[in-house]
Amino acid sequence: MNTDSAAHRGAGRAPHPSAAARPTTGGTVRRTLLRTALTGAAALGAGLGAARPATAAAPTRDTRPRPSTPAEALRELAAGNRRWRAFRERHPHEDPALRRTLATGQHPFAVVLGCIDSRVPPELVFDQGLGDLMTVRTAGEVLDEAVLGSVAYGVLELAIPLVVVLGHQSCGAVRAAVEAEESGTKLPAHMQYLVDQIGPAIDHGKEGDARIDATVSANVRLVRSRLAAEPELAARIGTGKLAIVGARYELTTQAVHRLA
């Protein structure tokens, strides 16, 4: 991913679950059972300019070590996004042998908390494969207890070193929140909860579409800060074992860039 001012460099790739499992933080019997169920062991009986199109490569299985630090994970996502926007996707980690291996466990290297928007599937925009990313998706990246628990599971139980809060250009949930505030309209059913959560991020220094676009970024920063304030996640950030970053996907260029 690019920062607001410069692109991340490098491209570390990873082998797949054939690599040694990372240590977990341990825990109670209940957490052990949860870990076993979710890893799949119990189931034995997922530049800013547009580039010139090129033929996508066949699915591959890399043999390099999987990212194990926040910096390595960021470089891998940046490399995947470069392939995506250059139409040179590898579609890694989809082969039959790998699929069989995944039946016994998973070792993803990043959690991506993204929007439900159908145009922004994380595994595609980062050109990753089975077992690479743990994805959590809600409209406008809105947090609730289920989302917090899902992110915490990936970090605390699977020792994932990176969490990316991924917003995107032209977010419908953000637009709904802005327009609902301006009109005073209440949304039906559970959608009002979404706009209420996004509301504190609304940028009142801009108008029209500029307000919506600025709120997309502000909402990412707000969600990122809320996650980083969670005590157990903050402890891992403090030791350098975890990074939580905000980012945006631009629909017009297919590029992901970090938000400061």
Side-chain angles (χ1 to χ4, degrees):
M1 292 181 291
N2 296 338
T3 62
D4 285 342
S5 59
H8 284 275
R9 306 296 182 185
R13 261 316 288 175
H16 226 255
S18 55
R22 297 197 196 105
T24 64
T25 59
T28 64
V29 171
R30 183 177 65 181
R31 290 173 70 190
T32 301
L33 290 174
L34 176 63
R35 179 166 61 249
T36 301
L38 291 184
T39 53
L44 283 178
L48 296 177
R52 182 172 54 193
T55 302
T60 62
R61 186 177 185 188
D62 296 331
T63 58
R64 285 172 282 181
R66 291 180 70 70
S68 60
T69 68
E72 290 172 356
L74 278 168
R75 285 195 294 269
E76 173 52 34
L77 293 183
N81 181 243
R82 286 195 296 272
R83 295 193 300 269
W84 164 254
R85 65 180 187 261
F87 300 92
R88 295 184 179 276
E89 302 95 319
R90 294 177 182 170
H91 303 291
H93 302 152
E94 299 178 6
D95 59 276
L98 184 279
R99 296 185 194 190
R100 290 191 294 271
T101 301
L102 285 172
T104 62
Q106 60 171 328
H107 307 289
F109 66 85
V111 175
V112 179
L113 170 56
C115 185
I116 60 171
D117 195 292
S118 63
R119 301 166 292 179
V120 195
E123 287 85 357
L124 293 184
V125 302
F126 289 121
D127 191 29
Q128 301 301 315
L130 297 173
D132 290 330
L133 304 180
M134 180 169 283
T135 59
V136 185
R137 300 178 68 178
T138 64
E141 309 87 58
V142 164
L143 295 176
D144 62 13
E145 284 300 310
V147 174
L148 286 168
S150 299
V151 173
Y153 174 82
V155 172
L156 302 177
E157 293 297 326
L158 299 184
I160 293 174
L162 177 67
V163 176
V164 178
V165 180
L166 183 64
H168 66 93
Q169 180 184 19
S170 302
C171 179
V174 169
R175 175 178 290 276
V178 171
E179 292 179 349
E181 184 193 65
E182 292 174 347
S183 66
T185 302
K186 291 290 185 181
L187 273 66
H190 301 287
M191 289 184 288
Q192 184 63 40
Y193 175 81
L194 299 174
V195 301
D196 288 344
Q197 293 298 305
I198 296 170
I202 293 176
D203 188 329
H204 294 101
K206 295 181 172 61
E207 300 291 340
D209 287 344
R211 172 175 290 177
I212 294 168
D213 191 69
T215 300
V216 167
S217 297
N219 184 57
V220 168
R221 293 186 179 102
L222 178 62
V223 172
R224 185 241 164 241
S225 67
R226 287 175 175 173
L227 286 174
E230 288 293 313
E232 290 183 296
L233 302 184
R236 294 185 71 85
I237 293 171
T239 60
K241 295 179 179 178
L242 173 68
I244 302 179
V245 303
R248 274 183 57 139
Y249 178 70
E250 305 301 337
L251 296 170
T252 51
T253 64
Q254 297 86 57
V256 175
H257 61 94
R258 280 185 65 180
L259 297 174

